[in-house]
Amino acid sequence: MMKSISIIGGGFSAWLIASIFIKKKFSVNVFEGENLHFGSQQISPNGWKALTQIVDKEDIKPVFEAFNAIHIKKINSEEILELLSNYDLTNNDEVYGSISRENLVNILKQQVLSNKDVKIYSSLINHIIDSDNKIELLDTKKRIFETDFVIGADGTQGASRKFVVGSNKQTNLKKIFRAISLDTSSYNLAKKTLQILLHSQGYFVIYPTIIKNKKATNYIFVPTDNNVSPPIFDSELLNYLIPNKLNWQISLVGNNTNEITSIFKKGVFLFGEAAFPTLPHLAQGGNQILEDAIFLKDFLENNNNFNEMVESFIQNRSKQREIINQKSKIVGKALSSQKITGYFRNLAIQSKGKKLIEDIFNQVWIS
Ligand SMILES: Cc1cc2nc3c(=O)[nH]c(=O)nc-3n(C[C@H](O)[C@H](O)[C@H](O)COP(=O)(O)OP(=O)(O)OC[C@H]3O[C@@H](n4cnc5c(N)ncnc54)[C@H](O)[C@@H]3O)c2cc1C
């Protein structure tokens, strides 16, 4: 008899992994939580390569905003922008750009829904119970579902991480601010470029994107510490790029990169952010999840054994995720450096910016 897989989660990872399992020898159920997709994410060359092996390029292109360059700039005490480094992406054959989370999820979801054999439940799973060779899922409507395997793609706060790791409580949280603007002036200044702006209170990442078919600008502000809020600027030019009226949303991201936890227990396999909470400094959270999906897709080409798939993933892929998290932590520290270390960082970016980007980012993008 066909084994059943239940995917918990309604975000990017859930629909991504569901699209890997359709047309395989499993019956697939998706327990879709709430759909709260905010803003956009960067798709780096490795993510693009993976994504285009999963969905049709032509479906992505209309909602994808490509970047031509990466600019690293400093906002000085007079609120003047000083260019430290300009990295040209047009020399690379690879594609780098952005896509809104809503569009990304919709494209993956449409692909899954086109397969009539997948069952979708609008349901929040509260408890996972291990019961003799089967797993029982309990939802908020007090329904019980039986399944052979679970893929927990319900993020860091979900029931799956609690079942596998023992707790879904996160400590040492880092505050990160996110915003979007539909202002044309901002978009025109952000056009085609990924900008990293270093400031005495943190750093901004600004890039163009498409939100609900409109040209938009996506903002991230990473403060030096959790007590700092995004700065307000007097300079007219800076206000075009970073309007003071931005409606910032706060995300709390786990900062425990040294904590190595399990990702599999009694038939429940964690996937996406639930498995590897990732610091966003390298913009690799989602891109690495796309690579994880390709790893599993390739495995399933020749072998439908779920437990062997998980074992192979843990042995061959988990290490890469640890490395990315460590690199991300180092990049985050460098970008947030102040005073004397910040001064030397700026000098290094000015003199060796291109080489630094190649050494740090290219290695990740090519993986
Ligand atoms: C500030 C910031 C910037 C980022 N920028 C980038 C970037 O540029 N590029 C990139 O690649 N990545 C980026 N990331 C990372 C990327 O956003 C995440 O890796 C990705 O969103 C993780 O998706 P996920 O589906 O695993 O988890 P989540 O997005 O957390 O989704 C979890 C889903 O599970 C559902 N759920 C939760 N509990 C239950 C339950 N009990 N039952 C059913 N469903 C449940 C939720 O409703 C939600 O839909 C960034 C992250 C942050 C915070």
Side-chain angles (χ1 to χ4, degrees):
M1 207 177 118
M2 232 191 211
K3 296 272 185 193
S4 62
I5 289 196
S6 295
I7 297 168
I8 309 178
F12 159 61
S13 298
W15 293 110
L16 177 66
I17 195 70
S19 67
I20 297 298
F21 273 91
I22 52 174
K23 296 184 196 139
K24 299 286 172 214
K25 289 190 178 128
F26 295 97
S27 70
V28 178
N29 303 316
V30 180
F31 293 89
E32 186 184 19
E34 293 161 286
N35 288 313
L36 307 164
H37 314 299
F38 178 78
S40 283
Q41 64 187 57
Q42 296 166 47
I43 300 287
S44 53
N46 54 319
W48 174 264
K49 198 171 154 206
L51 182 60
T52 50
Q53 287 175 63
I54 295 165
V55 295
D56 190 341
K57 230 183 242 179
E58 298 309 312
D59 290 340
I60 314 166
K61 277 184 184 164
V63 287
F64 185 79
E65 185 82 5
F67 308 151
N68 285 344
I70 300 175
H71 288 175
I72 306 181
K73 294 173 183 167
K74 174 187 162 193
I75 305 176
N76 72 19
S77 52
E78 275 89 48
E79 297 193 353
I80 293 168
L81 281 173
E82 289 174 26
L83 182 69
L84 299 177
S85 182
N86 173 5
Y87 186 80
D88 188 356
L89 287 163
T90 54
N91 294 332
N92 296 10
D93 291 337
E94 287 108 6
V95 178
Y96 194 163
S98 74
I99 185 166
S100 81
R101 289 188 169 83
E102 188 182 17
N103 282 327
L104 184 56
V105 166
N106 282 344
I107 290 170
L108 292 163
K109 193 170 172 176
Q110 285 317 314
Q111 178 151 311
V112 176
L113 294 181
S114 67
N115 188 300
K116 300 277 177 283
D117 297 332
V118 180
K119 281 199 194 117
I120 318 283
Y121 298 90
S122 173
S123 177
L124 268 173
I125 298 297
N126 262 354
H127 298 284
I128 301 174
I129 300 164
D130 167 38
S131 141
D132 272 349
N133 291 332
K134 283 272 178 189
I135 301 162
E136 287 174 344
L137 304 178
L138 266 71
D139 77 357
T140 43
K141 294 173 193 157
K142 296 197 166 57
R143 293 180 294 182
I144 301 175
F145 303 88
E146 223 178 52
T147 185
D148 292 305
F149 302 109
V150 171
I151 298 185
D154 45 352
T156 50
Q157 309 296 305
S160 312
R161 192 166 165 85
K162 192 170 179 185
F163 179 84
V164 174
V165 178
S167 165
N168 56 4
K169 299 266 174 301
Q170 282 195 293
T171 52
N172 193 11
L173 294 169
K174 170 94 187 138
K175 211 185 248 185
I176 297 189
F177 294 82
R178 301 196 278 179
I180 48 165
S181 165
L182 296 175
D183 195 299
T184 320
S185 318
S186 311
Y187 175 80
N188 286 335
L189 287 174
K191 208 159 56 180
K192 301 274 175 215
T193 315
L194 171 72
Q195 302 188 56
I196 300 171
L197 309 184
L198 307 170
H199 183 263
S200 60
Q201 288 166 40
Y203 73 91
F204 291 89
V205 178
I206 302 173
Y207 54 86
T209 191
I210 298 169
I211 306 269
K212 298 200 185 302
N213 293 325
K214 293 200 177 81
K215 301 277 184 203
T217 312
N218 193 88
Y219 299 84
I220 291 165
F221 178 71
V222 182
T224 45
D225 69 65
N226 281 359
N227 300 320
V228 173
S229 295
I232 300 286
F233 297 109
D234 294 325
S235 145
E236 199 182 356
L237 180 65
L238 261 183
N239 272 326
Y240 279 130
L241 181 62
I242 311 170
N244 281 336
K245 61 179 185 325
L246 283 177
N247 183 14
W248 291 103
Q249 316 260 321
I250 296 174
S251 300
L252 293 167
V253 184
N255 209 1
N256 288 336
T257 45
N258 295 329
E259 182 188 273
I260 296 169
T261 52
S262 174
I263 58 166
F264 184 66
K265 185 177 146 189
K266 295 181 173 167
V268 180
F269 173 53
L270 301 182
F271 185 72
E273 199 70 14
F276 305 103
T278 305
L279 290 168
H281 309 299
L282 270 179
Q284 279 300 306
N287 288 300
Q288 291 297 316
I289 297 171
L290 283 162
E291 288 201 49
D292 293 344
I294 291 298
F295 182 95
L296 299 176
K297 183 175 183 276
D298 289 347
F299 185 93
L300 290 168
E301 297 293 328
N302 307 311
N303 188 340
N304 279 313
N305 186 308
F306 190 87
N307 289 324
E308 285 175 20
M309 177 197 81
V310 172
E311 202 182 313
S312 171
F313 185 89
I314 291 171
Q315 274 181 17
N316 302 303
R317 180 77 190 138
S318 289
K319 187 78 196 153
Q320 164 73 359
R321 299 300 244 115
E322 270 172 49
I323 294 169
I324 294 290
N325 245 345
Q326 292 308 332
K327 279 192 179 171
S328 196
K329 195 174 183 181
I330 294 166
V331 168
K333 266 199 175 155
L335 292 176
S336 299
S337 303
Q338 298 299 326
K339 297 183 183 161
I340 194 80
T341 18
Y343 172 78
F344 283 113
R345 172 211 50 212
N346 292 353
L347 280 185
I349 295 172
Q350 257 167 331
S351 57
K352 293 200 170 15
K354 189 170 180 292
K355 171 106 180 46
L356 278 175
I357 289 180
E358 266 159 12
D359 286 352
I360 299 167
F361 290 92
N362 258 353
Q363 279 180 21
V364 174
W365 297 339
I366 288 162
S367 72

